[in-house]
Amino acid sequence: LNDNPSHYKIMLSGTVKSPKISFDPPFLMLMPVPLDVKTETTINIIPKDFLRTSQIQVELPELELEDGDMIYPFSVQFPGGKNIVISSDGTNKELICHISFISSRPVSFLGNMFFIDEEKN
């Protein structure tokens, strides 16, 4: 008060937590199957430190075949929805994701699928 700020000091400290997701299982291996037969599995997406509702998007790989043709043999489904929500205790609820693969042409693939939020994290 009285234009003398030296008597009143406020110190603030805090921790910034970046939103993260992890996966169970941490990697995915689909079994070889005959042509035109679907193979699929389920993974759990475990969000952490999301402070507001966010929606997960998936970037699926495009595969190039030996003849140069491009295919999209993967698909994903979120039976409970793609929204990361915050529960009443402040934690984020897990999401279930079904990943499937089917191809009419012989192909093998080792690579990444990207799961991103609305802010491209």
Side-chain angles (χ1 to χ4, degrees):
L1 295 172
N2 297 331
D3 297 323
N4 191 352
S6 63
H7 294 291
Y8 302 96
K9 293 183 181 181
I10 297 174
M11 293 186 68
L12 300 173
S13 65
T15 303
V16 176
K17 294 183 177 182
S18 296
K20 297 178 180 95
I21 57 175
S22 57
F23 302 92
D24 182 28
F27 65 92
L28 176 66
M29 185 183 323
L30 296 171
M31 300 307 296
V33 292
L35 296 178
D36 292 320
V37 174
K38 183 188 287 188
T39 182
E40 57 191 342
T41 193
T42 300
I43 62 170
N44 291 319
I45 299 173
I46 306 159
K48 185 174 182 182
D49 297 328
F50 281 81
L51 300 177
R52 65 181 188 281
T53 300
S54 188
Q55 189 174 82
I56 293 290
Q57 302 295 322
V58 184
E59 293 179 0
L60 297 173
E62 178 181 37
L63 306 182
E64 184 174 0
L65 302 175
E66 290 180 3
D67 64 2
D69 286 349
M70 303 301 283
I71 62 169
Y72 292 90
F74 293 98
S75 64
V76 295
Q77 292 181 336
F78 292 86
K82 300 191 291 185
N83 288 334
I84 295 173
V85 296
I86 302 169
S87 56
S88 59
D89 64 358
T91 60
N92 301 126
K93 294 183 180 181
E94 292 185 10
L95 301 175
I96 296 173
C97 178
H98 295 296
I99 300 174
S100 62
F101 172 92
I102 187 169
S103 177
S104 60
R105 308 263 303 271
V107 65
S108 63
F109 170 75
L110 175 63
N112 297 308
M113 288 183 185
F114 293 99
F115 292 77
I116 57 175
D117 66 14
E118 293 164 338
E119 296 178 8
K120 304 295 182 196
N121 295 312

